[in-house]
Amino acid sequence: MAAPRFEDNLIQLFRQQARKGGDAPFLWRKQEGAYRARSWQRAEEEVDALARALIEFGVAPGDRVALIAENRPEWAIADLAIMAAGGLTVPGYTTSMPDDHAYVLQHSGAKGVIVSGKTAAKRVAQAVASASDVRFILVIDGHEDTAGATTPVMCWKEALDLGGERKAVPLPGDAADPDRTACFIYTSGTGGRPKAVMQSHRNILTNVRAAQALMDRTCGVSDDEVFLSFLPLSHAYEHTCGQFLAIALGAQTYYAESVEALSRNLQEAKPTIMTCVPRLHEVLRQKLIQRIDREGGLKARLFHQAVRLGRKRYEQGGRLGVIDGLADAVLERLVRGKVREQFGGRIKALVSGGAPLNYDVGVFFVALGLPLLQGYGQTEASPLISVNPPGGIRIETVGPPVDFIEVRLAEDGEILVRGPSVMKGYWQDEGATAEVLKGEWLHTGDVGEIDGRGYLRITDRKKDLIVNSGGDNISPQRVEGVLSLEPEIAQAIVFGDRRPHLVALLVADDAAVKRAGVAKDGAELDAHEGLRTLIGEAVRRANAKLSGAEKVRRFHIMAEPFSVENKLMTPTLKLRRGVIAKAHADLVEGLYAKGA
């Protein structure tokens, strides 16, 4: 497929928008209780100053620089500055441990690290001792968190001052070839060491323009688009769709403070576009239902009626009878309008990606008038492959392919992808590259179907499919999604490959723990009879929605949730199946032993 012609590189894209934007606000961050903005002009000045400082530090074209920071204006500025200096960005997660950082720094051959946050800075300082190529650490917030580092350390302001004095130094990134690598995005993976996906400027630009074209055709793009950036910018999804798409649209970007502050940040930023992962939608749905049910009375009855009629309207292709239609119109004003206001009141697109979205969760938001668009992508495709268009939402699918992307199915149903946004390959791993790039086609490892309207539906991961001892193929994501819809269950993972039936490790919702009268203090929750009764009832309700092969026969209640901190979830909140299976092999074996 011929590559579309846009700007030659991401720096040109940024400069084009920065010169249009001028003094208008661009990047917003919460400081001292209020959001404060950097203008486009100031951001460009900082990008250029930091780029020249990086060149003074010895960064040459093609060199790698790691960027380990929370979502904030300096993340975007540092990313662009690295590219402007001719280098390529190696994003990392602030939640990673020193050995994880050490692996990425050593594997990528990073010449330097830009880092923020006390914990991350301390871990980076430990990690660089075993990363022989690292020549400098640039700390966004100050020196004090890198005590003991064996590598020269400079702070953000010092770097900007240094670069500001070197205005005559040319920036090679401005003339970067579109096929030059822009970044290494390390796949977070659900087990094993991550691989470094090499994404070129052309890869990302093509994906950005495809997303922009979709928005333009379906819901329109205005001069006052606002993004709320929440997902880690180290992930391809947020890097492309949350950062560079926002730049391409000339949009303002607000950086969310935290999960806990998300509701407040939605009200403050009033975003038009937000990228999310299914886990976040599950949490928002659960919190909304719990809050409404606590209030009870007429308000709760109207809310649930709005959900019921909204779902009915969606599933009947937009049609309702006369009585239901009149009731639905009243509920639009009394309920749905108020729910949309809780999301800022301007949302054009809540784009869900990174993992499968449970149908009931998706329909819940659509029923309340929120345009939840399930999409599909992979880091190896930079990442967007398909997405539901606003106005043509089919929640049970991931939509049709975006512009410049071709999708076909292999004989075994595997989804194959071709187009100019497909990666260059994995850094220093020709074997793994050859496994997934065969000719022009990316072999995704996902299994799917394409319907008569060209919409793609993901049925499962080839590697995640459970084949029980009876030969039944079972989608673990489907079973886990049904379990997690029960209010008493916060998280679920199922096992059963080559076994006669499924078993599950479950994390109880805090409200269920409290309802059972259990003090959640790290005790062995599975031993509490009252909690086991509550969870057992939830499992029975879930099983009623599942086929015989999908039913969960035994479960264990975990004392600790699966989280990024304990390395049982990826930074984008996907379960690390292999890691969990290994860490809790005895629990799983114990569940099967009970039935022996």
Side-chain angles (χ1 to χ4, degrees):
M1 176 183 284
R5 177 68 178 169
F6 303 125
E7 298 84 0
D8 282 338
N9 59 57
L10 296 167
I11 300 304
Q12 290 180 15
L13 172 71
F14 168 66
R15 292 203 189 284
Q16 179 186 92
Q17 294 299 340
R19 285 160 190 171
K20 286 182 184 176
D23 291 331
F26 172 35
L27 304 173
W28 293 81
R29 187 187 181 207
K30 199 72 164 295
Q31 292 176 295
E32 298 176 353
Y35 270 105
R36 303 180 190 278
R38 269 180 173 83
S39 69
W40 285 93
Q41 180 180 330
R42 180 184 166 192
E44 185 177 25
E45 290 169 353
E46 291 191 13
V47 165
D48 290 349
L50 184 58
R52 293 189 170 99
L54 293 174
I55 292 171
E56 287 292 312
F57 297 163
V59 174
D63 283 347
R64 280 76 66 195
V65 178
L67 175 54
I68 302 165
E70 71 276 22
N71 290 17
R72 56 189 294 174
E74 291 85 356
W75 206 107
I77 290 164
D79 187 26
L80 290 161
I82 293 165
M83 296 180 194
L88 60 96
T89 305
V90 182
Y93 295 98
T94 57
T95 53
S96 295
M97 301 302 290
D99 59 332
D100 299 319
H101 290 313
Y103 171 77
V104 168
L105 295 175
Q106 187 68 31
H107 182 261
S108 67
K111 291 294 178 67
V113 186
I114 300 174
V115 62
S116 74
K118 182 176 290 187
T119 301
K122 286 180 178 178
R123 290 173 178 172
V124 165
Q126 296 173 47
V128 296
S130 57
S132 56
D133 291 321
V134 174
R135 307 292 173 79
F136 68 89
I137 300 174
L138 196 162
V139 184
I140 294 174
D141 294 314
H143 289 89
E144 66 277 5
D145 299 325
T146 54
T150 57
T151 303
V153 179
M154 180 173 280
C155 75
W156 184 265
K157 185 179 184 307
E158 291 170 337
L160 293 183
D161 289 344
L162 173 64
E165 296 169 0
R166 304 289 194 273
K167 291 185 179 179
V169 175
L171 296 177
D174 283 1
D177 183 271
D179 291 315
R180 177 185 287 181
T181 303
C183 58
F184 289 172
I185 301 289
Y186 276 83
T187 57
S188 52
T190 55
R193 285 294 193 183
K195 296 185 287 289
V197 174
M198 296 186 287
Q199 292 183 352
S200 70
H201 289 266
R202 189 192 306 278
N203 291 157
I204 296 172
L205 278 168
T206 303
N207 219 239
V208 162
R209 292 308 189 188
Q212 185 176 4
L214 174 71
M215 298 295 295
D216 230 352
R217 287 194 303 267
T218 54
C219 59
V221 175
S222 66
D223 293 332
D224 64 344
E225 302 295 348
V226 175
F227 282 59
L228 181 61
S229 179
F230 169 78
L231 300 179
L233 280 161
S234 303
H235 192 272
Y237 181 27
E238 188 70 11
H239 189 230
T240 294
C241 299
Q243 176 170 292
F244 282 109
L245 175 58
I247 290 172
L249 296 177
Q252 300 176 55
T253 297
Y254 283 70
Y255 296 98
E257 296 172 88
S258 64
V259 177
E260 294 74 24
L262 191 56
S263 296
R264 181 174 69 245
N265 294 162
L266 282 164
Q267 298 276 342
E268 295 165 323
K270 301 187 184 308
T272 56
I273 301 168
M274 186 175 174
T275 55
C276 301
V277 291
R279 179 63 186 150
L280 180 61
H281 293 304
E282 291 167 5
V283 170
L284 290 173
R285 172 185 175 275
Q286 197 80 292
K287 287 185 176 180
L288 189 55
I289 290 173
Q290 287 175 352
R291 182 174 60 79
I292 291 292
D293 286 346
R294 279 198 306 270
E295 294 180 14
L298 179 62
K299 187 173 184 178
R301 290 197 297 275
L302 291 175
F303 175 86
H304 289 296
Q305 178 74 340
V307 173
R308 187 186 70 79
L309 287 178
R311 178 169 184 150
K312 185 176 181 180
R313 174 164 34 84
Y314 167 76
E315 293 180 339
Q316 294 183 170
R319 297 181 300 276
L320 287 174
V322 175
I323 295 175
D324 280 348
L326 290 172
D328 195 58
V330 172
L331 291 167
E332 179 70 23
R333 180 171 55 85
L334 293 180
V335 177
R336 297 193 189 99
K338 293 178 181 178
V339 171
R340 287 193 291 269
E341 284 300 319
Q342 294 179 38
F343 285 78
R346 303 179 64 227
I347 285 286
K348 292 180 179 179
L350 283 170
V351 187
S352 178
L357 176 70
N358 182 279
Y359 175 79
D360 288 330
V361 173
V363 170
F364 173 84
F365 285 98
V366 171
L368 288 171
L370 288 162
L372 180 55
L373 315 177
Q374 180 171 206
Y376 167 64
Q378 286 196 343
T379 303
E380 290 82 352
S382 304
L384 190 59
I385 293 171
S386 67
V387 68
N388 274 272
I393 297 173
R394 300 180 67 196
I395 272 299
E396 67 277 15
T397 78
V398 293
V402 297
D403 289 359
F404 319 121
I405 281 286
E406 291 181 63
V407 172
R408 70 178 176 88
L409 302 180
E411 289 185 5
D412 63 356
E414 182 178 7
I415 298 164
L416 309 183
V417 175
R418 179 169 70 176
S421 60
V422 171
M423 69 169 180
K424 299 174 68 175
Y426 297 117
W427 172 250
Q428 294 186 337
D429 200 335
E430 292 182 2
T433 299
E435 285 182 13
V436 299
L437 286 181
K438 300 176 183 178
E440 295 181 308
W441 293 94
L442 170 67
H443 289 239
T444 65
D446 290 319
V447 178
E449 303 169 345
I450 300 174
D451 68 18
R453 294 172 57 182
Y455 279 59
L456 178 65
R457 187 169 74 89
I458 311 299
T459 56
D460 223 310
R461 285 284 299 173
K462 284 177 71 174
K463 293 181 181 178
D464 286 346
L465 278 173
I466 291 173
V467 182
N468 68 16
S469 57
D472 297 301
N473 287 352
I474 301 166
S475 164
Q477 287 94 344
R478 166 176 154 72
V479 177
E480 290 154 6
V482 171
L483 287 165
S484 297
L485 280 178
E486 297 301 325
E488 294 83 3
I489 299 174
Q491 293 173 298
I493 185 168
V494 297
F495 302 91
D497 202 46
R498 299 188 295 273
R499 303 280 197 166
H501 56 257
L502 297 186
V503 298
L505 302 181
L506 305 176
V507 175
D509 183 81
D510 286 344
V513 174
K514 185 176 180 181
R515 181 178 160 197
V518 180
K520 196 169 184 180
D521 55 3
E524 182 51 66
L525 300 182
D526 193 67
H528 290 270
E529 187 176 340
L531 184 59
R532 277 200 63 85
T533 299
L534 280 178
I535 299 299
E537 290 170 355
V539 170
R540 280 191 288 276
R541 291 195 301 271
N543 277 342
K545 304 169 189 173
L546 298 167
S547 69
E550 293 174 316
K551 294 183 189 300
V552 171
R553 303 300 173 89
R554 291 179 179 81
F555 64 86
H556 179 90
I557 304 171
M558 305 299 291
E560 180 184 11
F562 308 123
S563 68
V564 176
E565 289 72 25
N566 61 26
K567 296 191 175 183
L568 300 182
M569 295 188 85
T570 71
T572 51
L573 307 182
K574 289 186 285 189
L575 295 172
R576 293 186 187 270
R577 295 185 179 278
V579 177
I580 294 171
K582 185 176 180 180
H584 297 299
D586 289 345
L587 285 179
V588 174
E589 287 300 323
L591 289 171
Y592 282 109
K594 288 179 182 178

